[in-house]
Amino acid sequence: MLDSYFTNCLYFTANRFSRIMNKMAEEAFAPIGLSPTYAFLIMAVIDQPGMTQKQLSEKLHIAPSTCTRFVDKLIVKQLVDRRQEGKLVYISPTEKGEQLLPDIKKCWKVLYIRYSDILGKEVGDQLSIDLHQLSNQLESK
């Protein structure tokens, strides 16, 4: 009976899936010494240098205080810079951060190949699209 509660509970199932994916992602990113979230943050500021910290937290779907902590850590590693103008805080990659991009992309590819080999490429791709759309739907309510 208890198994059916877990199987039929979206909250439990989604969190279980997230923990499994997080473990796989952490393993894929271990060679560069960054977590996947830090890698996404670096990619975001490389894609849009000078974005505000508020924009960055919205893009990563994390709380502003969490974003501040992540940026602080990446500043210490000299991978991003922070510039404040009035109340706005702007984040940009450093040269060292930009040089890390090819390695970050390799790690994403390793992760993609690993879960695609297990789930199947089409299933993994569709699941990613579905989860993105469903997350947007739940957020809008």
Side-chain angles (χ1 to χ4, degrees):
M1 179 81 162
L2 187 59
D3 283 345
S4 68
Y5 289 129
F6 293 127
T7 303
N8 296 317
C9 176
L10 179 59
Y11 172 81
F12 179 80
T13 304
N15 277 295
R16 177 178 176 220
F17 186 83
S18 177
R19 285 189 299 274
I20 294 166
M21 284 301 301
N22 191 58
K23 183 176 184 236
M24 291 173 70
E26 293 287 341
E27 290 168 359
F29 280 83
I32 63 170
L34 287 176
S35 76
T37 304
Y38 287 111
F40 249 122
L41 191 151
I42 292 169
M43 286 177 23
V45 297
I46 288 173
D47 186 53
Q48 189 181 338
M51 71 173 14
T52 66
Q53 195 160 314
K54 182 178 190 268
Q55 290 171 317
L56 184 57
S57 66
E58 289 170 355
K59 185 177 222 73
L60 297 175
H61 301 280
I62 57 176
S65 59
T66 303
C67 187
T68 299
R69 234 180 22 258
F70 287 173
V71 168
D72 288 346
K73 230 176 195 178
L74 292 176
I75 287 172
V76 169
K77 291 180 180 253
Q78 300 177 337
L79 299 173
V80 300
D81 285 323
R82 176 189 291 131
R83 184 181 89 252
Q84 186 159 356
E85 290 181 17
K87 291 185 178 188
L88 294 177
V89 177
Y90 299 94
I91 311 299
S92 295
T94 62
E95 187 175 324
K96 183 178 175 184
E98 288 178 353
Q99 290 171 353
L100 198 54
L101 187 59
D103 291 332
I104 290 172
K105 287 183 176 183
K106 281 183 204 170
C107 292
W108 283 119
K109 188 170 185 176
V110 166
L111 176 61
Y112 177 77
I113 290 168
R114 184 167 175 207
Y115 73 72
S116 293
D117 286 348
I118 296 167
L119 300 176
K121 183 184 176 318
E122 295 79 19
V123 170
D125 290 351
Q126 189 60 53
L127 182 59
S128 183
I129 291 167
D130 291 346
L131 287 172
H132 180 76
Q133 290 172 342
L134 292 169
S135 294
N136 286 342
Q137 188 176 343
L138 287 171
E139 258 182 352
S140 71
K141 296 294 175 183

